[in-house]
Amino acid sequence: MAIALVCLLTAFAAADSPRPNIVFIFADDWGWGDLSCHGHPDVRTPNIDRLAREGTDFHRFTVASGVCSPSRTAVMTGHFPARYNIDGHFAWVPSNAKRNMPDWLDTDTVTLPRLLQKAGYATAHFGKWHLANDMIPDSPSPGQYGYDTYGAFNCSGEQMPVHEDAEHAIEFIQRSHQAGQPFFVNLWIHEPHTPFHVLPKYRWRFRNSGLDENDEIYAAVLSHADDRIGEVLETLDKLDLVDNTLVIFSSDNGPARARPGTPLALSYDTATGAGFGIAAAKGITAGRKGYKASLFEGGINVPFIARWPGKIAAGKVDQRLMISAVDLLPTFCEIAGAKLPESYQPDGISQLKPLQGDVSDGRDKPLFWKMKGNGKPGQADSFHWVDYCIVDQNWKLISDEASSYVELYDIVSDPYEKQDVKESHPDVVAQLTEKLAAWKATLPPKPNPKNFSSLRD
């Protein structure tokens, strides 16, 4: 009888406990090495470093593409973006048509914010969108995907100024807290994407650093982004929400890089305005091969720092857990108690228990990538030739379009991809090539025309 009473009281306590809030900070082109806690010699990121001290720094996180739009598609849907023919960034309509892409993410697909919204969460998006494009005026707004409120750029309609993201996120957090409602907020910051919209006070911060102008601009924009993240963290402090809020910092892909000798000049973006151009893109990968737009680790292995006091270990570095962007939807839904539709089959898996420290032997489901490569394979400085990739347990196979050229890496023992071992493991190459071919056969040959702009007519 006593045991039954204890169980009953425990059940009531669990029912009354507040559901956790989720703040997902997604940077744009932020390289793995662009953090002071990752050893950057010049950049200082004290607020992101704070997340690392108070949470766990997961070193094996990968996004689902080397560029923006497909990477964000994976977060939103829990699916590999190739399932939607989203293999590159959304641009203006002729470019999308030429690359066999739709003009926006299908609004009828299962999305993370819509699932959390149905579970009783207040949902918001502030910052970059790029699941359509500002040059496609009839594309759906972020609100049509399950957000109660949003402010965005790289979308249809009015473009939110890039530096107002944290301000709006703070207001949303305060309103949700006052209403007693759990909240999910995307803070998808612009930095450090071009153009670099650097403010004078942040240039001043690095005036005596000894950096050249390009590096100074890059450090300044990262410092500004880190300050805005700090403002959001301070809001959670003031509202006493820290212990009940999962905060994640990550990036949509690796850092951009200019060609050697590119002069510093102003550039203009239709969504965000004027700023310094690609010459100031000085991000680093801390030894990982390749950069943005590559399926080598420099393009897809990005920072992933998670803080959830009492649930995720503090001050820990995890170099083992292989977590992917497609895992975020099932993971966040399990955290929030949101049910997945019976007809929905995610490509990702919930990583809730591993995030909390449960030992795992690795993921049972392989990860797949598809991008349109360019350049010649096999050259030491050629990073962008890869069209397909599969990661299965410790093995990573990269391939050109026809699988006529492949490279194989033991990504666990060789995370910097220094040694191609295909010659010594032909059986592994054969197995992964077969799995990759089977996955490719499941992909649609063309996008659904209902996701085409009227500008295609």
Side-chain angles (χ1 to χ4, degrees), residues 24-30 63-65 67-79 81 86 88-90 105 111-113 125-132 147 153-154 186-193 250-253 292 325 328:
F24 180 49
I25 306 167
F26 211 30
D28 197 357
D29 296 0
W30 200 302
V63 285
S65 178
V67 293
C68 178
S69 300
S71 179
R72 293 161 194 267
T73 295
V75 172
M76 283 283 287
T77 66
H79 285 147
I86 301 174
H89 71 285
F90 284 114
L105 175 64
T111 65
L112 172 59
H125 175 98
F126 300 110
K128 186 170 186 178
W129 181 239
H130 219 167
L131 292 172
Y147 294 107
F153 50 90
N154 289 107
N186 276 341
L187 181 62
W188 287 9
I189 62 178
H190 180 262
E191 289 85 2
H193 197 284
S250 190
S251 176
D252 67 345
N253 48 250
K292 177 179 179 176
L328 296 181

Side-chain angles (χ1 to χ4, degrees), residues 37 45-56 305 307 313-316:
C37 64
T45 52
N47 295 293
I48 301 173
D49 294 354
R50 175 192 170 185
L51 289 176
R53 289 195 310 272
E54 298 174 358
T56 297
I305 299 171
R307 185 191 75 175
K316 181 182 177 183

